[in-house]
Each structure stands twice: as C-alpha cells, then as structure tokens.
Amino acid sequence: MKSIQTFVVVPSLPEPLKRLKELAHNLWWCWNPEALELFHRLDAAGWEETYHNPVKMLGSMSQKLLEEKAQDDGYLAHLERVWNSYQAYMKNHQTWYAKKYGYPDKPLIGYFSAEFGIAECLPLYSGGLGMLAGDHLKSASDLGIPLVGVGLCYRVGYFQQYLNAAGWQQERYPANDFFNMPMTLIRDDKGEPVTVSVQLLDRHVEILIWRINIGRVTLLVLDTDTPANSPSDRRITGELYGGDLETRIQQEIVLGIGGLRALHACNYHPTVYHMNEGHAGFLAIERIRIAMERHQMSFAEGCELTRSSNLFTTHTPVPAGIDVFNRDLMDRYFGSYAPRLGISMQEFLDIGWARATPKGDGFSMAVCALNLASHANAVSKLHGRVSREMWRDLYPRMPADDVPIEYVTNGVHLHSYISMELSQLYDRYLGPRWVQAPGDHTVWKSVDRIPPEELWRTHERRRERLVAFARQRLQTQLKQRGAPPSEIAAAGEVLHPEALTIGFARRFATYKRATLLFTNLERLTSILCNPKRPVQIIIAGKAHPKDEPAKQYIKDIIAFSKNERLRRHIVFVENYDVVVARYLVQGVDVWLNNPRRPLEASGTSGMKAAANGVINLSILDGWWDEGYSAELGWAIGHGEEYKDQAYQDEVEANALYELLEKDVVPLFYDRTRDNLPRGWIDMMKSTIMNLAPVFNTDRMVGEYNDRYYIPGNERYKALSADDRRRARDLAGWMQNIRNAWGNLRIEDVQSDGSNDRRVGDEIEIKACLYLDGIKPDDVLVQGYVGKVESDENITSCQIVDLKPGKVRDGRATFTGTIKLSTSGKLGLTVRVLPQHPDLINPIVTKLVLWA
C-alpha cells in the first residue's frame, strides 16, 4: 500500500541534550575520539546497531533512555567538553589558510568527485578514490581552506558483499535512508526543496540537493530520486558504478552539469574547480557555456577564461578504467547542447575524442578534462611518469617528459585512521601538534621518546582486538552461509593474538594480484605453520560485480582458508569497508601490497597502516616507490617492469617468500630477555617518524592549495577584470597564432666550437626563424641538449631559452648559451613554442616546431 503523504519524524531531545543534534549532523565527530566516545556512551548497543550513525541512533532511542541521559551529570559534562571543542574548531579564524592568505568569507574551490568516503554510516564510496576524496575534505576543513565539495547521492551506494557456500561473491544493495543519515535536504525560504535540472534527451530531469557538513566544509550531493522524475530517471543516482554505459553518461551529466548548477542554486560561486578523476569532465564544458551566456563571450573566449582555473587529477594508469562514450551516445545526449556553445557537434566531440582506447573510439572523459584544464596531476611520482607516457599522443611531437601532467602524491587524514590507543600515546609524547601540524617533521621526531615497551603493548592490544573482530566476523559469515555448528565453533579459535599478522585489503582488481602470496602453497604453508614462529593472514576486499576473474581470486582464497592446515592462519573478512579497514590498518603487523608495477597509481591503505606503526611489505609501485627505504620496510623486487606477466608473478612470488623467510619473520620473533622485538619496534618508530609527516592529506591539500588553487584563483580574477578583457585578448591571440603557425620555419641552427667538448663547457646556440608576421615576443625559442639514445632521440634534456634579436625581412635570430653538465654522446636541437603572458603552459596549445 503506497502512502498518500510523507513526513519526517525527528527525535524529541530533552533540553540538556539539544546540542547532540548539531553534533550528529556535522561529521567532525568521525575524526574526533572524544566525540565518537560521546555517541558510544549515549547508547553502546544502538551505536553498533546503526553502524555508527548518530542521527539514526538518536531517532531510534527510547525517550526514557534520553531522559535518563539528560539527568546524568557525568554524561552532560562529557557533552559540554565535546561541544566546547566543536565550537572552538568551527569558530577558529586562525587556521593555516587564514594565517597564510587571510580569512575567507566564501568558498573559492569547487571539488567534484563521483564518490566520497567520509564515514561508514554514509556509504557513498567504493574504494580508494572515494576515501581519498573524503580525506581531502577533512583536511580542507582542518586547514581552513575555502572549499565546497560536489558529489552524487546514491540510493543504494556501492554493493554490500557476502559469499555463498562455495566462496563465490554475492552482492546485495540495501537502500539508504537519507533522512536518517547525517545529511540535510536543502530547502528554500518557503520550506520547499531547492532543485536544479539537466536535459537528458527530450526531457528535463529534476535534481534534489543534500548538504553534508564535514567540519568547516560543505559537501553537496545530488539526488534524482524524486517523484518529479520518471522511474528510470529516479534510478540515475541509484547505484555507484552500476548500470550500463547509458546510466554512466547520465550520472556524469548530473555530476558535472547538474553539480555546477547546484552550486549556483545554493549561492556558491567558486572560481577554481578541481575535477577528481574524469567523471566530472562535463563540468568544464558547462563552465564555458555559462561564461558565454553571462558575459557574451565566444566559445574560445569562454574556454580561455574557465580553463585558467580548472584542475584535473587523474587516478588510474589503467586505460580500461577510464570512461569512454561512443558517438551515438554523445550525439543523442549533446546534439542539442553543442549549438548552445556556438560550435558544431564535431568540434564538441573533438574536445574529448580518443582513438583506439580499450573501449574503442569515443569521447574520453579524461581527454576532455585534460583539454579543458590549466593543470593536470597524477597522484604519485611514478604515476606521473606513467601518466605522461599514457597521454603523450595527445601532444604530438612532444617528448613524454614534457607532457603537462605533474604529480601530487596522495596522503591520508591521519586522525581518521590512527587508533584511539595510539592517539593517546601520541598526545602524551608528541603533544597536540601532531594533530594541528601533521606535516611538521620535528613533531614526529618525538616518537623516538616513546618507551619501546609502551609502544609494543599498545600495538599488541590492537592486534588482540583485530583477532577478536576477525573471529566474530567469520562466525557471523559462516552462520549466514548455513555452515554446520562445528565449523562455526571452530571459527572462534582461528588466528592467534600473538602471532605475526599480515594484512591484505583492497579492491580485488586483477592487477593487484590478491593471490600472489598463494603461488607456491607448499612454501607458504611452511611459513605460516611454523610452530615456533607462526604467521597469519587477514584478507578483505570486493571484486566489481562484473569482474569474474577477480571474483575467482576470492573463491580461490576461500578454498585455501578451508585447508585443514591453513584454516587457523587465513581469514577472509567479508564486506570490506572503512570499519574493516580501520581494524586492519591498526592491528596487523605487516601491510602487504603486491600490484603489478606500474599499475598502482598510489595506494593509500599502506599510508594508513604506516601511521599506526604497521610496516609495509610492497612492490615498488605507487606511493611506496617514493616512501621506501630499508629502515622503513621491505620492497619486493627492485622496481623491475616485465612484459611476461607469468614470469613476473613467479619471480615476485619467490622474492616475497624470500623476504618473509629471511627478513620479516626472523625480525618479528627476535626477542630480547624482556620478550620485546626491539629491532621490529625500531622499524615501527622509523616508519612513523619518516612516513606520517609526508604521506598525509594536510600536506597533500596544502600542496594543491599553494600550487593550484591560489594561482588559479588569481589567474581567473586577472582574466575576468575589465569585462574579461584579458581572456578575450588571449583567445584572439591564440587564434592568430594557430592561423600563422603553419608558416613558421626554423631556417638555420648553429652552435659554436668543435664536436669534442668537456663537462662544464658552454655552447652558444643561434637559431634563425622565419616568423611570417609573428612577433618575436609571441614565441619561445629553446635550445634542447641531452643524451642521444640508440634511436637518435634526445633524453635527460637541458633546456635553455634563447633571446630574440632584431627582425629583418620577417626573420629573427635567437641566441643563448647552454652549459654542459653531463658526459657522453649528446645531441642538440631547437624547438619553438607559443608564448603569451597569460598562457599558463605553452605545451597545452599542442603547437610545437622542431628544428
């Protein structure tokens, strides 16, 4: 029976507890231990039953219990402390950003992502991309950065995982009840929901807007599940990464185009826009359209204005993981949109067209974002190199090293993942600055002052808690599968609270090689089942519902865990999420990661483990390629990359076994007379001291702010001044340069001296250019010297800018001097690029002339 009217019921909180409502609706609580304890203390059973959702817990508590807590002086004192901390945090006008740039009165940055992982009670994420986005917002709040987030509000989110009796992954999709979650539907002054709309084919789709408060930062999430839409349109925001290609393009139109409109409807007008992965690429096109309509600009002018403050972060080196839409879909969904931009459909498609992708020719969201952003970055140093190689075809005749993709290595929000026990230890020995300034290396040096026995006992308590959690989860899993009582009872005895514990937890994409450790089962068994030095493994992770090979990995692991000799040593924990991750990164001794290099863009779970003193054992890929040194953990291999994957698996599995047998296990069990593994503890301390201050999101977000957000805001304001004069001039100049570029010629290049030179010698370079009316100041002429490879290409280059001389008959001579810094066979050439004061990077024009 369907309802004829709906209404929302809120809890009736006694007056002394009124503040709990505001605290519950600001996710500041999820990274503040005393606030977490406040809700747990209110109703411990309800806290667990609602999966740590304070809004739902408050709404389901008995009025009697609420009245009792309202009379509990101890609880009210606790509430007063938390409230005062919250108020001090929210009203602090002396944040990192305010001290450096002044206190902002409105958001300057719009941060768009298809998923956000903030807390377990908000299942709007699937994996690392979402957790990174959530940590980005938390650190933006801590630093006081004026940022507003935009995402999608999924009715069922990502699937919940369970396994059948055969160990095959199954998926369930429980619906989210947004009115019982820490989020609020945005309404106007009359109490009506604020909506925006986007056109999909021949219809308009209405979008509701929900607000999520994350400390000082607001996150807007968009929801099409409203009676104003058809049943099919209501399902657009139904499932994260679900449905077919048509659902995906609809979701990304809602995110990019609808998201920008939602910001404006809520009176947010950022000047800088950060696209976290290509899902939000349509945002950049919508910005152009709005600039054209508001300011009477041409497409080219609007493009130059908006591109100046767009930033694109690419997260995957796997081409198959990038959304590509075919011509038919693009024609149907943007056939009526392109004319509003004053360009043809073909010109529209050219913004993002890519050929020969793993999904065929089509409109690539990553290409679209790259073409319409002033800056692009990868998420680790190695990923930057891989990304430049991956996208070099977009920049013809340009060496891979010059492809305009930089890197900002990812981090994690430390306070969200460090255990409460370890936080207290840090408070005692490091003081409050480890929370206030986690990027300050001098603060973390005090870790050395922590007594070894105190650090070790703290870690042992966390391992014991992890073992208890894994046993309880395994018993619950077995009950749900209908296992016999004897098997369920035996699950209560798996693992040992004092044994060396290895954690492996991540998305089960095949390149992450979840079963590499099981390559030689006999050898693994001898490692795990050593009676004097036992080892155990706790594994968790989800396979995408359509990834059958990844599902087979899970099935294989379940089969291994049922082996009579191994069953006490291997546990697979179902339904990997932020709760499972927290137990693992806080409680294991070793964090294992063995992706196929170089396919791991970053890998933030190892950073969370390191901040808890867990030691990493990993392939030199992603962040570990930067973070590794011998005193901090172990590297599997030496950074080799293989063409033969089977051979690679064999070599690296053997290397993994060697490390476990000869280094990891002996060090863990090497105890002094007081039963302390002092060598292990020293490595734990080195891990924390050296990795925590670097691989955290305060450092990361601060880097984004200083390198991209602040300069982007300044560029946008400069181009907008005087009725966007400089943006219009730049677009006109760019068109003239494109028209004349084909006539430009390098007629002669000369260098002084002989062919035999010494390191330290200087070479004077002269290049004569035929400019054909182009001004000398409009081109950047560069000498280019470097090592000559076997294919005669120049690498490891030194670049020097050449200065122009007088122009005569359309020709000019450019000269400069370059100092030789390396020996060997070197090559010299000259290149010409466009140059303009408002051109951020000449390489993004894709115009280059080589001698």
Side-chain angles (χ1 to χ4, degrees), residues 648-702:
Q648 178 180 8
D649 291 350
E650 179 185 351
V651 169
E652 292 179 343
N654 286 327
L656 175 54
Y657 295 137
E658 287 274 320
L659 285 169
L660 289 171
E661 292 165 341
K662 296 180 179 180
D663 292 331
V664 180
V665 177
L667 185 64
F668 182 85
Y669 284 105
D670 180 16
R671 306 297 170 100
T672 52
R673 293 181 65 182
D674 54 6
N675 198 33
L676 289 179
R678 291 185 177 270
W680 190 276
I681 295 168
D682 287 344
M683 189 174 277
M684 289 176 67
K685 286 187 173 185
S686 294
T687 289
I688 297 167
M689 285 190 292
N690 289 281
L691 299 180
V694 177
F695 298 100
N696 66 78
T697 43
D698 276 32
R699 185 273 309 158
M700 180 195 82
V701 176

Side-chain angles (χ1 to χ4, degrees), residues 162-170 480-481 555 558 562 574:
Y162 68 100
L163 306 181
N164 64 20
W168 199 255
Q169 175 180 289
Q170 308 292 302
Q480 292 173 343
R481 292 180 214 162
K555 186 175 184 294
I558 296 301
K562 291 181 177 180
E574 292 178 13

Side-chain angles (χ1 to χ4, degrees), residues 211-222:
R211 175 188 288 112
I212 301 172
N213 298 316
I214 304 162
R216 304 180 182 99
V217 165
T218 295
L219 169 62
L220 303 180
V221 287
L222 313 177

Side-chain angles (χ1 to χ4, degrees), residues 741 743-749 765-783 802-815 830-834 849-851:
W741 196 259
N743 298 326
L744 195 68
R745 295 195 306 273
I746 301 175
E747 295 188 330
D748 186 36
V749 175
I765 304 170
K766 293 182 180 179
C768 179
L769 267 67
Y770 175 66
L771 295 172
D772 189 38
I774 296 177
K775 297 177 183 178
D777 289 344
D778 287 342
V779 293
L780 177 63
V781 183
Q782 296 178 320
L802 307 185
K803 295 180 180 180
K806 293 181 179 180
V807 179
R808 182 178 299 170
D809 299 327
R811 292 168 173 82
T813 300
F814 293 74
T815 59
V830 167
R831 72 177 180 187
V832 184
L833 299 164
L849 179 65
W850 292 92

